[in-house]
Amino acid sequence: ILYDSGNQEVASSYTGDYIEVVLDADDTYILAIEGDREDIPVEYSFEIITPDELSTPIVFNTLIENGISEKGEQDRFTFTGQQGQRISLDVVNRSFNTSAQLIGPSGNTILTNSPFLSVGDVWWYRNDFNPISLPEDGTYQLLIDGFNGTTDDYSFQLIDIDAATTLEVGSAISETLDPGKTFKFYQLAAQEGDRLYLDVNTSSSALYSNIYGPGNQLIGSFQLEQEHVLPEDGTYYILV
């Protein structure tokens, strides 16, 4: 148990777990270690680490390759966003030892990706990669941290969906996803009642598509070819 000089508990852990805490005041702190066995001696060891906190500006649609290199390290990536701007987190190199949180200018958590997985790993039970509309203007932080003091490599890109390529109906698109675990958004202006048929000309089992409506709602998911009657006027977004 960690106490401050006023004997107030600051943090605690049990049975070999770790303590990770941000100290909010200059003080002399006391670490108390207690065993729970009366019949045998209890050995222990510990290390106090003041880990690095790295802060790096994000460039949208640019692959970032990094890693948690020491226990307790937190990497912060910052960007300026506008209210209503659509973004998506594209995890390229998955890590079961790493988590990510998107924190808004007011300190509220907008997105949690825990563990740090990619769209292909989580499609059957997660929607972390779906479009997000930012709630306010200001500086946002993407905080990446290790689980239980672990270290690991990670890579990702933050997608600015509003800058996605605009599609023209009937025009063929031929591109390559590189690395192959990335994804790309396209946008299409459409009217209520329009019939949309997405014809994906590939035999690859590693490719799929999602279609999102103007309110970021999922219209169709994880199919190569899709056909839908669109429910409202607005801009639709296709993830490949």
Side-chain angles (χ1 to χ4, degrees):
I1 304 174
L2 183 66
Y3 298 95
D4 64 18
S5 60
N7 298 326
Q8 297 296 310
E9 182 177 321
V10 176
S12 64
S13 69
Y14 182 73
T15 316
D17 202 354
Y18 75 108
I19 294 176
E20 183 174 353
V21 62
V22 177
L23 302 176
D24 58 6
D26 295 341
D27 201 353
T28 298
Y29 293 85
I30 300 169
L31 180 64
I33 299 175
E34 180 181 8
D36 63 356
R37 296 292 300 270
E38 296 181 356
D39 53 335
I40 59 172
V42 178
E43 296 182 353
Y44 67 90
S45 63
F46 66 89
E47 180 182 7
I48 295 176
I49 302 172
T50 54
D52 294 332
E53 285 198 13
L54 306 178
S55 183
T56 306
I58 286 179
V59 177
F60 283 110
N61 308 318
T62 300
L63 183 64
I64 294 173
E65 298 177 291
N66 209 329
I68 301 295
S69 59
E70 66 174 339
K71 294 180 178 181
E73 177 184 330
Q74 292 182 337
D75 295 348
R76 294 179 185 269
F77 297 89
T78 61
F79 65 94
T80 300
Q82 286 76 45
Q83 183 178 11
Q85 180 180 1
R86 286 180 172 84
I87 66 168
S88 179
L89 177 61
D90 181 7
V91 177
V92 179
N93 179 25
R94 68 182 182 179
S95 170
F96 288 95
N97 297 319
T98 308
S99 66
Q101 285 186 307
L102 180 62
I103 302 170
S106 299
N108 53 316
T109 300
I110 298 167
L111 167 71
T112 299
N113 184 315
S114 176
F116 199 50
L117 301 182
S118 67
V119 59
D121 299 316
V122 302
W123 64 266
W124 59 91
Y125 72 103
R126 296 271 294 280
N127 59 0
D128 298 345
F129 48 85
N130 289 345
I132 300 169
S133 293
L134 300 180
E136 59 184 316
D137 296 347
T139 300
Y140 288 79
Q141 300 180 69
L142 183 66
L143 175 64
I144 299 181
D145 198 359
F147 281 129
N148 298 327
T150 56
T151 61
D152 208 349
D153 295 330
Y154 61 84
S155 60
F156 70 93
Q157 57 181 340
L158 196 64
I159 304 297
D160 181 6
I161 300 174
D162 292 333
T165 301
T166 299
L167 296 178
E168 295 184 9
V169 176
S171 296
I173 299 293
S174 180
E175 297 193 52
T176 301
L177 295 174
D178 186 15
K181 293 195 72 173
T182 57
F183 57 75
K184 186 170 183 177
F185 275 92
Y186 299 87
Q187 56 181 316
L188 173 70
Q191 306 296 315
E192 178 182 356
D194 284 352
R195 184 175 296 276
L196 174 65
Y197 182 82
L198 180 62
D199 185 11
V200 181
N201 297 311
T202 180
S203 59
S204 173
S205 61
L207 192 68
Y208 48 81
S209 62
N210 283 5
I211 301 175
Y212 301 93
N216 298 334
Q217 74 274 27
L218 187 62
I219 304 296
S221 64
F222 292 93
Q223 305 168 39
L224 282 178
E225 297 186 354
Q226 301 189 41
E227 185 175 7
H228 302 280
V229 176
L230 301 181
E232 59 183 309
D233 297 350
T235 300
Y236 289 77
Y237 301 92
I238 299 173
L239 176 152
V240 177

